[in-house]
Amino acid sequence: MEARRYPGGNRAIQPAVDHVDSSGVRIEVERRSGVDGPALAFAHAAGFCRGTWAPVIEDLHYDGSTVAWDHRAHGGSAVPSLPIDWWDTARDTLAVLADSRPPIVGVGHSLGAASLLMAEILSPGTFAAIVAIEPIVFPPPYGPNDDHPLARGARRRRPSFPSRERALEHFSARPVFAAWDRRALEAYVRCGLVPAGEELTLACPPEYEAAFFAAGASHGAWDRLGEVRVPVLVVT
């Protein structure tokens, strides 16, 4: 499962965008075909979108296949009815990877890291290994936290912008975004905003982003981590 590099790598391969159905929810997927090595599956954090992985995929110079997708209620994926259940993001992950040829290495951040671990719990052997960056898998007590600071902050987010240029200017001035790789921020503005009339609105509506944060301590996957038998690298 050696991950090889070569000059240019997968940067030159234009991704193919398609959709999969996950129990009636349309999930948008971006795939790059490759010639060798394990497939790399990238799962983003709550409130983000698959495009935020673009500079990582670019800088890997990887000649194997990659896949990245928008979680439900994010990016180009459908926005289902509330409430949010994090196990659904794990099922979405399995739907995305159903046609991927093993071995698959999952790389996830925050919500994305949790969804990979939970997908492996639901379907052991899906992954050959997982890189879990700041996985949101907490010990008990379990239950929703509507007053979580991130949930409160999400509810206050500005929901719409007159243009992508104005959105980029707005996010660039926010401390949480100011330190981002510029390519990731520009990708977020592309995939994290969707047309709505004459404006652009957040693809992940503030109430949904807040709901994801509020539900982060409810899924109980901590009690089932022993079922994950593949190698896991936890990054914090």
Side-chain angles (χ1 to χ4, degrees), residues 6-112:
Y6 73 99
N10 225 347
R11 290 184 298 176
I13 300 175
Q14 291 299 314
V17 178
D18 60 13
H19 304 87
V20 299
D21 178 84
S22 179
S23 301
V25 178
R26 179 175 172 268
I27 303 297
E28 188 161 288
V29 186
E30 183 176 291
R31 305 180 194 271
R32 288 175 172 82
S33 59
V35 296
D36 199 8
L40 303 183
F42 293 91
H44 66 77
F48 294 4
C49 54
R50 69 178 190 274
T52 55
W53 284 113
V56 176
I57 296 172
E58 179 180 349
D59 289 351
L60 279 175
H61 303 283
Y62 184 56
D63 59 350
S65 299
T66 66
V67 57
W69 61 98
D70 292 320
H71 294 304
R72 55 179 56 209
H74 292 75
S77 294
V79 180
S81 301
L82 292 171
I84 293 297
D85 182 347
W86 280 41
W87 287 101
D88 285 335
T89 67
R91 297 181 185 97
D92 297 343
T93 298
L94 296 175
V96 167
L97 299 178
D99 295 329
S100 295
R101 187 169 60 186
I104 304 169
V105 175
V107 183
H109 175 211
S110 192
L111 163 67

Side-chain angles (χ1 to χ4, degrees), residues 119-145:
E120 180 64 23
I121 290 169
L122 293 177
S123 183
T126 294
F127 298 102
I130 295 173
V131 179
I133 304 165
E134 299 176 341
I136 306 302
V137 183
F138 297 140
Y142 302 126
N145 182 3

Side-chain angles (χ1 to χ4, degrees), residues 156-178 182 185 188-189 193 202:
R156 295 194 299 267
R157 290 194 64 181
R158 178 176 172 177
S160 61
F161 300 89
S163 68
R164 296 193 193 278
E165 292 75 18
R166 288 288 298 277
L168 185 60
E169 179 183 333
H170 170 82
F171 291 125
S172 297
R174 309 292 293 181
V176 69
F177 292 102
R182 184 71 176 187
L185 183 56
Y188 172 73
V189 169
L193 298 170
L202 292 174

